[in-house]
Amino acid sequence: MKKILIISVVLLIALWALMFFVFKTGEVAYIMLAAAAVIILFLYSLRRVLT
């Protein structure tokens, strides 16, 4: 359980960094696609860990 929490915190920090970068550059669409891919991969790995 602790490992899952650490992974989620790291992911949230990475997403915040990405969002900050997006607002600086304006490339919103690309970053939203990347964020969606990261979230999908995270959910997939979470299911693999839990089952």
Side-chain angles (χ1 to χ4, degrees):
M1 195 64 182
K2 194 179 236 184
K3 187 177 185 181
I4 294 171
L5 286 174
I6 292 171
I7 291 172
S8 60
V9 167
V10 168
L11 259 173
L12 283 174
I13 292 171
L15 281 176
W16 272 108
L18 275 174
M19 286 303 191
F20 184 73
F21 180 73
V22 168
F23 288 127
K24 286 280 191 183
T25 59
E27 298 291 332
V28 177
Y30 295 114
I31 303 297
M32 291 305 271
L33 280 172
V38 166
I39 291 169
I40 290 169
L41 283 172
F42 175 68
L43 290 176
Y44 176 73
S45 62
L46 195 65
R47 284 196 189 127
R48 296 285 294 212
V49 168
L50 290 178
T51 55

